[in-house]
């Protein structure tokens, strides 16, 4: 267990240490300890001022793409999972099997077909080119189907129907509250997936002002390398990477109690 923890925390530890070093200390001091001076705040200042302060715009783009995609994915997966769990309709098993099959397909394999589709309707190089594909989450549908089947008693739905509630009102005012832990779990999965997505924005976007942090930091690195100035940009790219993960850490710490209960329920039930 401790070996697994160390394996996953080692890159984070290195990133924190490296973000406190100057460019010179990065290559002249031991990689797993601090350099001759602590340059963290200077590096952070350089990140937010380099290239006209475009890092802030990339951060805003990332938050927009990830936030809208996570909310959309959570709502779509919740509605679809609830429908699969509580309603019976022709072709239900075939459709749900197709959803399960889609879980096995890596997102990168769909990136090129998605690009061709969006290019045909003129949506490439727009925020929608990143947001719309990210809203679809087959794993989220599967998780919410399993969660809804156990969290919402059929008797409760029948009682609401007897009281005259419509199907939409039962879903919106009764079922959503009972599925809150599962919804938060899907939200977090979609948030992290979109926040860290690199390949889809890379092929969809050409305007630097629309880049998320992943693509923007990679462009900085490539620009420095092609101009022979990679050494000068290393501290900026590393510190920018460190700053970019802070919102995700805060989101996980704040929502972890919901996330843990939702993931546990989805993993053992059904």
């Amino acid at each position: 267990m401790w070996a697994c923890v160390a394996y996953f925390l080692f890159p984070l530890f290195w990133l924190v240490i490296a973000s406190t070093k100057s460019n010179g200390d990065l290559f002249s001091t031991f990689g797993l300890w601090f350099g001759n001076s602590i340059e963290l705040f200077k590096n952070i200042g350089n990140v937010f001022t380099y290239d006209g302060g475009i890092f802030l715009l990339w951060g805003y783009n990332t938050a927009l793409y990830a936030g809208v995609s996570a909310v959309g994915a959570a709502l779509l997966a919740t509605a679809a999972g609830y429908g699969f769990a509580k309603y019976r309709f022709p072709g239900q098993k075939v459709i749900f099997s197709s959803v399960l099959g889609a879980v096995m397909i890596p997102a990168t394999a769909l990136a090129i077909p998605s690009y061709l589709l969006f290019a045909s309707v003129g949506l490439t190089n727009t925020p929608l080119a990143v947001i719309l594909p990210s809203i679809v989450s087959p794993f989220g549908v599967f998780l919410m189907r399993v969660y809804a089947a156990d969290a919402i008693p059929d008797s409760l739905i029948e009682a609401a129907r007897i009281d005259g509630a419509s199907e939409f009102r039962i879903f919106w005012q009764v079922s959503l509250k009972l599925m809150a832990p599962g919804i938060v779990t899907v939200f977090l999965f979609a948030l992290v997936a979109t926040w860290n997505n690199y390949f889809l924005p890379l092929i969809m976007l050409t305007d630097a002002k629309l880049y998320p942090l992943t693509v923007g930091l990679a462009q900085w690195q490539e620009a420095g390398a092609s101009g022979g100035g990679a050494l000068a940009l290393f501290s900026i790219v590393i510190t920018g990477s460190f700053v970019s993960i802070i919102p995700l850490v805060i989101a996980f710490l704040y929502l972890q109690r919901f996330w843990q209960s939702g993931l546990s329920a989805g993993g053992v039930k059904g």
Side-chain angles (χ1 to χ4, degrees):
M1 176 62 75
W2 286 109
C4 292
V5 173
Y7 176 80
F8 287 109
L9 291 182
F10 179 79
L12 179 60
F13 178 75
W14 182 90
L15 184 64
V16 173
I17 295 297
S19 64
T20 65
K21 296 182 178 181
S22 64
N23 282 303
D25 286 345
L26 277 174
F27 298 96
S28 61
T29 60
F30 181 55
L32 297 180
W33 197 244
F34 298 99
N36 297 319
S37 60
I38 303 299
E39 303 284 346
L40 176 61
F41 293 107
K42 180 181 178 181
N43 291 338
I44 292 176
N46 291 336
V47 167
F48 284 99
T49 56
Y50 182 76
D51 201 10
I54 199 170
F55 184 85
L56 275 176
L57 181 59
W58 291 343
Y60 169 78
N61 292 339
T62 304
L64 175 67
Y65 301 155
V68 175
S69 299
V71 171
L75 290 177
L76 184 61
T78 301
Y82 177 80
F84 279 120
K86 295 301 175 184
Y87 295 97
R88 299 294 176 265
F89 50 88
Q92 181 183 23
K93 291 185 178 179
V94 174
I95 297 174
F96 188 68
S97 298
S98 301
V99 173
L100 289 180
V103 175
M104 308 300 174
I105 301 175
T108 52
L110 301 175
I112 298 300
S114 299
Y115 171 78
L116 297 175
L117 179 63
F118 278 77
S120 65
V121 294
L123 286 179
T124 53
N125 201 32
T126 67
L128 290 178
V130 178
I131 293 174
L132 290 180
S134 303
I135 287 177
V136 181
S137 174
F139 177 73
V141 174
F142 166 74
L143 184 64
M144 291 310 301
R145 189 267 182 193
V146 174
Y147 195 86
D150 187 81
I152 307 171
D154 291 337
S155 58
L156 182 63
I157 297 177
E158 290 299 328
R161 287 170 178 163
I162 293 174
D163 289 339
S166 65
E167 296 298 328
F168 179 77
R169 186 177 180 184
I170 294 173
F171 168 72
W172 191 256
Q173 295 188 345
V174 178
S175 302
L176 278 185
K177 295 179 181 177
L178 298 176
M179 294 190 292
I183 296 172
V184 173
T185 303
V186 175
F187 175 86
L188 279 175
F189 273 122
L191 181 74
V192 173
T194 308
W195 192 284
N196 293 327
N197 199 344
Y198 171 74
F199 189 58
L200 181 66
L202 178 66
I203 65 171
M204 289 289 191
L205 304 175
T206 57
D207 187 352
K209 293 182 179 179
L210 294 176
Y211 285 166
L213 288 170
T214 51
V215 179
L217 290 173
Q219 293 297 315
W220 273 0
Q221 174 64 24
E222 292 179 6
S226 62
L231 180 66
L233 290 178
F234 264 121
S235 63
I236 295 178
V237 174
I238 291 173
T239 307
S241 301
F242 170 66
V243 173
S244 71
I245 67 172
I246 293 177
L248 286 182
V249 174
I250 294 175
F252 262 89
L253 292 177
Y254 181 71
L255 298 172
Q256 63 176 338
R257 52 177 177 161
F258 301 103
W259 174 68
Q260 289 173 347
S261 59
L263 188 62
S264 299
V268 302
K269 295 172 182 175

